């Protein structure tokens, strides 16, 4: 009897956590979700209709998706090649590069944008080298291609961090067995390596996509909010100085959250399918 | 050099790893060189080297204030997180293990809901009224708690599983300790490492948080990242010195976490 009472008293300890979490995580989300349905002409889907009718908002969604997709794809390919090779070099080099990669995963946002302006801006050292060597005609960091390069940079360390442990699943004797049975390098990867790594690759890709879709600081610092992507549009309608429309911002915010949910659901579905095929 | 290093495959893997390192190093190295350059424009290499940008930075009062305010917000948020999360972890894992599933869903929220989305609601809810916190460090401390929560929860949960909480508590009870004494004197010291690692890591990314800081507080309580953004129009060399100083600080904390993680308990 005494024991069970102390058990229920222990629940009181959860109260402060619940209050703070509710105030700073749940309440804002609930506010956004309800007010996204409050349009000028009353409650309903008016705001969402406006989003999907406006070329400007549609462009923001398109840019966000394109930048997120390409930066995640290039990022995951580099991270995959890198993590695999990291497994096969001596431990001193591996530990050093892994530690460095972990550290650079914190190098994002405003400082990263500044570093890229110095390197790849109009007069950046790297831009000049590449131009003088004739490799590129011109490079505009403040364009979509420039943003993809910039985003890719902060995707790579995160990708390495997430993919590196996944190679544990790929046992060394499988490679030897495959070789004994006459499989060459490509056949091994096509039929064993990649299928084994698929769940990890999908999971990492989803996290990279979400990471890029929600990113605000880097693009804001680079273009002072002049490049049209979803997070910039949302922020401009609650903290900009031209016109404020929190309800419309909420609708766009829900579109962003919706995209995140679709990506997560697609991931779950693909994951189940990949297991099914493996069986 | 071992035999594996000179085979074609060995050479290939080393080349890839060095390539990866070079890609990650390049922006940092460029910024470092820029921060040490007397002047560098429209040429591939700078004209001369100097430390004057660092001297200018570290004697700028606004910078030092922003630095201090960043520390206040980060340490405040980490203290709040520790006080809220530790009892939660203990109660969930000792009394209500079933709640762990619910918690694992809740800690996904800070990932699924980007800060820019939360900010929309936060600005409206706490802009005025009884909880008018917008523009003060308090709102940042609260928000940073949600940012740090998933990392701290996971790190401490892993640590709890490793120490076998139930056996430890039973042993302490048998020896006559109350639940309170057992939690504080037996379990807490065993969680020290997991807690410290997660605090160091959380610090290193909270220190670089920009979205909440800029949207909710901005110049009214300028943190380092907001200061950096507000200085965009000053000298690029000055900004580079700022970026390098910031990164050096983060580096020390990540390195400390790494070291702590590797030490055998």
């Amino acid at each position: 009897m005494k024991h069970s009472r102390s058990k229920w008293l222990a629940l009181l300890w959860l109260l402060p956590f619940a209050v703070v979490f509710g105030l700073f995580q749940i309440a804002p989300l609930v506010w956004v979700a309800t007010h996204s349905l409050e349009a000028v002409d009353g409650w309903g889907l008016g705001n969402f209709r406006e989003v999907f009718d406006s070329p400007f908002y549609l462009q923001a969604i398109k840019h966000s998706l394109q930048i997120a997709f390409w930066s995640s794809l290039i990022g995951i390919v580099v991270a995959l090649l890198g993590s695999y090779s990291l497994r096969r070099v001596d431990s001193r080099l591996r530990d050093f590069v892994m530690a460095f990669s972990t550290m650079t995963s914190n190098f994002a946002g405003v400082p990263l944008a500044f570093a890229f302006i110095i390197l790849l801006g109009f007069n950046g050292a790297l831009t000049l080298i590449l131009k003088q060597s004739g490799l590129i005609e011109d490079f505009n960091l403040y364009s979509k291609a420039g943003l993809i390069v910039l985003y890719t940079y902060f995707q790579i360390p995160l990708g390495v961090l997430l993919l590196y442990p996944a190679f544990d699943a790929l046992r060394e004797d499988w490679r030897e067995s495959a070789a004994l049975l006459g499989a060459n390098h490509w056949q091994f990867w096509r039929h064993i390596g990649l299928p084994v790594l698929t769940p990890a690759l999908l999971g990492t890709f989803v996290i990279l996509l979400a990471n890029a879709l929600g990113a605000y600081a880097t693009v804001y610092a680079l273009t002072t909010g002049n490049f049209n992507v979803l997070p910039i549009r949302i922020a401009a309608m609650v903290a900009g100085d031209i016109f404020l429309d929190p309800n419309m911002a909420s609708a766009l915010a829900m579109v962003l959250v919706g995209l995140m949910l679709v990506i997560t659901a697609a991931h779950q579905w693909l994951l189940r399918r990949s297991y099914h095929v493996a069986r | 050099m071992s035999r594996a290093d000179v085979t074609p495959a060995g050479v290939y893997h080393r080349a890839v790893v060095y390539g990866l390192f070079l890609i990650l190093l390049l922006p940092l190295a460029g910024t470092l060189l820029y921060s040490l350059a007397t002047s560098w424009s429209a040429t591939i290499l700078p004209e001369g080297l100097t430390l004057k940008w660092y001297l200018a930075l570290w004697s700028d009062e606004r910078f030092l204030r922003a630095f201090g305010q960043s520390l206040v917000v980060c340490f405040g948020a980490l203290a709040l997180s520790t006080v809220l999360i530790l009892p939660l972890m203990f109660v969930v894992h000792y009394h209500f293990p079933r709640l762990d599933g619910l918690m694992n869903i809740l800690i996904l929220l800070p990932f699924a809901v980007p800060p820019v989305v939360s900010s929309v609601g936060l600005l409206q809810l706490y802009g005025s009224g009884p909880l008018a916190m917008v523009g003060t460090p308090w709102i940042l401390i609260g928000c940073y708690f949600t940012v740090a929560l998933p990392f701290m929860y996971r790190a401490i949960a892993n640590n709890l599983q490793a120490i076998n909480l139930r056996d430890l508590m039973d042993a302490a009870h048998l020896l006559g300790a109350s639940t309170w004494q057992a939690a504080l004197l037996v379990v807490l010291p065993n969680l020290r490492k997991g807690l410290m690692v997660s605090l160091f890591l959380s610090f290193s990314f909270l220190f670089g948080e920009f979205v909440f800081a800029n949207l909710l507080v901005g110049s009214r309580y300028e943190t380092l990242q907001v200061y950096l953004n507000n200085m965009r129009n000053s000298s690029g060399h000055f900004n580079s010195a700022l970026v390098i100083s910031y990164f050096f600080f983060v580096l020390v904390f990540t390195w400390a976490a790494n070291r702590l993680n590797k030490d055998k308990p």
Side-chain angles (χ1 to χ4, degrees):
Chain A
M1 192 61 216
K2 185 174 169 283
H3 183 71
S4 83
R5 215 184 62 209
S6 77
K7 191 172 155 177
W8 292 110
L9 272 176
L11 263 186
L12 281 180
W13 279 102
L14 303 184
L15 210 60
F17 170 85
V19 169
V20 179
F21 191 73
L23 278 177
F24 292 97
Q25 185 73 57
I26 309 284
L29 185 60
V30 171
W31 194 96
V32 168
T34 50
H35 283 256
S36 69
L37 296 169
E38 190 187 336
V40 204
D41 51 355
W43 293 83
L45 294 173
N47 287 330
F48 291 97
R49 229 171 285 134
E50 198 180 326
V51 168
F52 291 106
D53 277 342
S54 147
F56 189 52
Y57 292 142
L58 285 178
Q59 187 198 39
I61 297 174
K62 198 178 89 185
H63 280 167
S64 274
L65 286 174
Q66 282 173 333
I67 294 173
F69 177 78
W70 287 111
S71 67
S72 305
L73 188 69
I74 305 170
I76 205 169
V77 169
V78 175
L80 178 67
L81 292 173
S83 323
Y84 180 61
S85 289
L86 272 169
R87 289 256 156 181
R88 319 208 125 245
V89 295
D90 55 283
S91 62
R92 258 187 59 198
L93 180 62
R94 176 173 58 227
D95 290 349
F96 175 73
V97 176
M98 274 304 284
F100 188 75
S101 171
T102 312
M103 284 168 198
T104 48
S105 65
N106 283 313
F107 193 48
V110 189
L112 182 66
F114 280 18
F116 266 74
I117 293 173
I118 292 164
L119 267 186
L120 281 165
F122 288 121
N123 273 325
L126 208 60
T127 316
L128 291 176
I129 294 176
L130 290 172
K131 263 195 220 168
Q132 282 175 15
S133 64
L135 279 171
I136 53 165
E137 288 278 302
D138 200 7
F139 180 74
N140 184 1
L141 181 62
Y142 310 92
S143 67
K144 196 162 60 189
L147 281 171
I148 291 175
V149 172
L150 183 56
Y151 275 48
T152 303
Y153 178 85
F154 68 68
Q155 303 274 43
I156 292 173
L158 187 60
V160 171
L161 217 61
L162 295 169
L163 274 182
Y164 182 79
F167 279 91
D168 283 336
L170 207 58
R171 298 212 327 252
E172 193 53 36
D173 41 346
W174 291 350
R175 168 192 304 284
E176 287 153 14
S177 318
L180 272 176
L181 293 168
N184 65 28
H185 200 65
W186 293 117
Q187 283 169 328
F188 169 74
W189 278 109
R190 166 75 185 79
H191 295 289
I192 300 164
L194 284 178
V196 168
L197 290 176
T198 299
L201 282 171
L202 282 175
T204 306
F205 190 67
V206 165
I207 292 177
L208 294 187
L209 272 182
N211 188 36
L213 271 181
Y216 166 79
T218 318
V219 52
Y220 178 81
L222 187 70
T223 66
T224 54
N226 285 322
F227 195 84
N228 195 15
V229 288
L230 262 183
I232 293 284
R233 278 282 68 72
I234 296 169
M237 277 190 289
V238 285
D241 33 36
I242 308 168
F243 82 108
L244 300 179
D245 188 350
N247 293 341
M248 198 63 208
S250 300
L252 272 187
M254 287 315 287
V255 171
L256 183 57
V257 173
L259 287 176
M260 299 271 191
L261 289 178
V262 169
I263 293 168
T264 320
H267 165 231
Q268 292 296 326
W269 184 73
L270 284 170
L271 205 62
R272 231 171 294 138
R273 257 197 71 190
S274 76
Y275 279 134
H276 182 71
V277 169
R279 241 179 264 139
Chain B
M1 208 179 246
S2 69
R3 203 171 53 87
D5 288 338
V6 287
T7 61
V11 171
Y12 160 79
H13 290 305
R14 289 183 77 84
V16 171
V17 170
Y18 280 121
L20 179 71
F21 176 62
L22 203 67
I23 294 176
L24 295 178
L25 179 71
L26 212 53
L28 271 174
T31 313
L32 178 66
L33 199 57
Y34 205 79
S35 72
L36 292 169
T38 47
S39 127
W40 189 10
S41 59
T43 50
I44 287 168
L45 284 175
E47 280 163 29
L49 299 177
T50 173
L51 277 177
K52 71 174 176 186
W53 307 112
Y54 285 92
L55 291 176
L57 175 71
W58 284 92
S59 53
D60 178 18
E61 242 175 68
R62 194 173 157 199
F63 163 72
L64 293 173
R65 198 172 52 236
F67 193 88
Q69 290 177 339
S70 269
L71 289 181
V72 168
V73 172
C74 290
F75 286 141
L78 293 177
L80 177 71
S81 309
T82 311
V83 171
L84 292 182
I85 296 174
L86 275 182
L88 167 88
M89 302 292 307
F90 181 77
V91 172
V92 166
H93 285 255
Y94 186 61
H95 290 299
F96 305 98
R98 280 229 192 111
L99 278 180
D100 190 45
L102 174 70
M103 282 309 300
N104 277 321
I105 295 171
L106 283 183
I107 61 170
L108 281 180
L109 274 178
F111 282 122
V113 183
V116 74
V117 173
S118 286
S119 296
V120 175
L122 289 162
L123 276 170
Q124 310 304 322
L125 282 169
Y126 309 124
S128 57
L131 285 170
M133 288 183 282
V134 170
T136 68
W138 299 109
I139 197 164
L140 283 186
I141 291 179
C143 290
Y144 286 6
F145 156 73
T146 65
V147 177
L149 172 67
F151 298 90
M152 293 190 59
Y153 190 91
R154 286 275 23 117
I156 299 173
N158 290 342
N159 202 164
L160 269 175
Q161 262 143 29
I163 63 170
N164 220 333
L165 179 66
R166 199 149 286 278
D167 292 352
L168 214 55
M169 287 299 288
D170 287 346
H173 278 146
L174 266 177
L175 294 170
S178 70
T179 304
W180 261 102
Q181 285 173 322
L184 279 177
L185 301 173
V186 179
V187 178
L188 194 60
N190 276 299
L191 292 181
R192 215 189 57 198
K193 208 181 100 177
L195 181 67
M196 289 310 281
V197 170
S198 65
L199 284 177
F200 276 120
L201 285 182
S202 304
F203 177 86
S204 60
F205 59 72
L206 288 182
F207 203 59
E209 208 285 329
F210 174 73
V211 187
F212 282 134
N214 193 47
L215 288 176
L216 301 177
V217 179
S219 301
R220 282 166 286 181
Y221 191 84
E222 203 173 47
T223 60
L224 202 55
Q225 294 284 316
V226 177
Y227 169 77
L228 181 57
N229 184 53
N230 288 341
M231 297 302 278
R232 64 165 74 249
N233 291 325
S234 63
S235 152
H237 300 285
F238 183 81
N239 289 337
S240 302
L242 182 48
V243 170
I244 294 297
S245 302
Y246 153 79
F247 193 69
F248 180 75
F249 209 70
V250 170
L251 202 117
V252 169
F253 271 81
T254 341
W255 178 80
N258 246 344
R259 278 304 294 268
L260 218 64
N261 221 354
K262 249 180 231 154
D263 283 348
K264 296 280 168 287

